Amino acid sequence: MELIINNSYIYIFLIIIMLFLFSKMSEGKLFEGEEIRVYNNYPVMMKFVPGEKNMPLVVVSPGANSTARIFYGVHEACDPKQFLAYWLSRQGYNLLFLSYPLDVRDQVFEGAYPDFTIKQWGEQIALASEEIIQENNLENKIIVVGWSMAGRVSHALGIAAEKIKLDIDLWIGLAATPPMPGLSAPTIYPKLKKSKDEKGVFMVGDKGYAVFGSGKREAETVAENAMLNGLERDSLIPCEIGRTHYFGDTPINLFNHGWRYRGGEFVKDFSEAVEDSMGYDYAGYPLTANITNNSIEDARHAMTDRYNWGIVITNKISKSYVLPQMRSKKFNDAQWREIREIVRKAPEELSIEISGNHFFFLGKKGAEATAVAISELHKRSKDFKSKLGEILGIEVR
């Protein structure tokens, strides 16, 4: 009888241990403050950091192959001062970090979502922002910061936000690419199935995501940026931790290269990619600004970002604000000269360059400089809207 009781106790004890270990495994997928919510049937990992009630909500989205953790840091030894979130918080901003569904080694997301599109991404950001604003009684106005590939969602987000009456005060790109197919185009092997690749080409992963070096390239670039900040190579995000917690494989549709996910393969459909991102509809964008770097290792962004976004900025201003007023009002020569000058100078006024590579916002020096630049561009955008609105006789939103 005693043996049966002891065996029963052992059995119950083992069950408790297994349940405890399973709960810890589940908890390991998310770090402090992170949660998964679902919008339109697609999950998003999000982290809200409250700031001052009278300050705007800054919504931050990552680029390709990355979670938003690169903006706030999650690994045990990380120093918060080396990450952008710390410096934005110091300015009092309310912060919302959003990670689209991707395949990360520590299994942030259950299931696979290789068919996720840019339009769905824009809707996800808008709906998540709206919900956080309502839950925390914040002003219905956001500043959006999008790094790298997140530039692709700028128009889709503008349209999604307009539908729910969410005011985007300013969209700011960090070494970001506008949603215009052809600005970057990687090598892709659409029918080659392989889960790991070190050759700098996209392939179809086991879950249908685009595989590109399994985070190796990103981890190495972070290490290089650490050295640019005068730090030890592995001090920001150690390579293996980066490939486990921070980086993963991405839905191919989000790259906007013309490749689409269909039935387990990548197929070329340029027209579908164009319709997904709608980069040609300049009036649909929010007012945009950009921060880029000066690194030869990130040459495309360093050379072209200001002017790629300059196309968006000037056409947004002219189509949304200036041309509609010119159809109903008459401006004298002096006013017309001032309007031309304001519009032509806008791309320079709404652009800032920071030292560093593609991850220039990582490391204390770059993170603090980026936070200051975000605040400065927000100020410049308000001054710009006020000046343009005054001469046009309208409120520029």
Side-chain angles (χ1 to χ4, degrees), residues 39-56:
Y39 301 96
N40 292 346
N41 300 317
Y42 287 94
V44 58
M45 181 176 74
M46 53 198 294
K47 179 174 181 174
F48 172 65
V49 181
E52 299 171 13
K53 283 290 184 182
N54 63 332
M55 290 291 285

Side-chain angles (χ1 to χ4, degrees), residues 176-189:
T177 304
M180 303 168 189
L183 294 180
S184 62
T187 302
I188 297 183
Y189 294 149

Side-chain angles (χ1 to χ4, degrees), residues 46-322:
M46 53 198 294
K47 179 174 181 174
F48 172 65
V49 181
E52 299 171 13
K53 283 290 184 182
N54 63 332
M55 290 291 285
L57 176 66
V58 176
V59 182
V60 191
S61 294
N65 312 319
S66 299
T67 66
R69 291 169 173 171
I70 56 169
F71 300 115
Y72 53 85
V74 294
H75 60 281
E76 187 175 350
C78 74
D79 177 2
K81 293 180 181 178
Q82 307 292 349
F83 291 84
L84 179 60
Y86 175 86
W87 299 101
L88 287 174
S89 291
R90 293 250 316 209
Q91 296 189 32
Y93 289 114
N94 295 278
L95 304 174
L96 178 60
F97 300 95
L98 301 174
S99 300
Y100 57 81
L102 71 165
D103 187 26
V104 185
R105 282 189 190 178
D106 63 1
Q107 298 180 336
V108 171
F109 299 98
E110 294 183 4
Y113 306 89
D115 60 341
F116 191 61
T117 68
I118 290 174
K119 283 184 180 178
Q120 290 162 342
W121 190 12
E123 292 169 356
Q124 188 180 79
I125 295 172
L127 292 171
S129 301
E130 179 188 45
E131 193 164 63
I132 289 297
I133 285 171
Q134 292 174 351
E135 289 175 359
N136 294 276
N137 195 29
L138 301 176
E139 183 182 7
N140 188 43
K141 184 176 290 188
I142 62 175
I143 301 168
V144 184
V145 177
W147 170 57
S148 194
M149 185 189 72
R152 309 292 199 183
V153 78
S154 52
H155 177 274
L157 174 57
I159 297 300
E162 186 177 2
K163 287 180 180 178
I164 61 173
K165 307 302 181 186
L166 174 64
D167 186 2
I168 300 179
D169 210 18
L170 183 65
W171 190 94
I172 303 174
L174 306 182
T177 304
M180 303 168 189
L183 294 180
S184 62
T187 302
I188 297 183
Y189 294 149
K191 295 184 179 181
L192 184 57
K193 302 275 187 177
K194 188 178 178 183
S195 60
K196 292 185 179 179
D197 165 56
E198 311 294 345
K199 300 178 181 179
V201 296
F202 281 116
M203 293 181 289
V204 186
D206 296 335
K207 296 182 180 179
Y209 290 98
V211 177
F212 189 69
S214 300
K216 182 179 180 180
R217 180 187 66 165
E218 287 78 14
E220 289 180 348
T221 309
V222 169
E224 291 165 2
N225 201 63
M227 292 188 290
L228 291 174
N229 276 264
L231 303 170
E232 293 294 324
R233 179 178 175 83
D234 243 16
S235 62
L236 290 177
I237 302 174
C239 286
E240 281 309 308
I241 290 177
R243 298 176 75 179
T244 300
H245 297 328
Y246 291 83
F247 308 121
D249 301 327
T250 304
I252 190 67
N253 298 340
L254 301 188
F255 289 96
N256 201 35
H257 294 311
W259 293 92
R260 313 295 291 175
Y261 177 83
R262 287 183 194 156
E265 293 183 356
F266 297 159
V267 298
K268 193 75 171 179
D269 193 329
F270 195 82
S271 62
E272 186 178 289
V274 170
E275 286 303 304
D276 189 19
S277 60
M278 289 188 67
Y280 55 84
D281 175 30
Y282 295 107
Y285 286 87
L287 183 64
T288 67
N290 70 93
I291 306 170
T292 193
N293 62 75
N294 59 2
S295 173
I296 192 171
E297 301 301 327
D298 199 27
R300 178 173 66 84
H301 287 286
M303 288 189 298
T304 67
D305 278 359
R306 179 172 298 186
Y307 304 102
N308 285 339
W309 287 105
I311 294 173
V312 175
I313 291 168
T314 53
N315 281 282
K316 164 65 180 180
I317 295 168
S318 63
K319 289 180 178 294
S320 293
Y321 312 129
V322 178

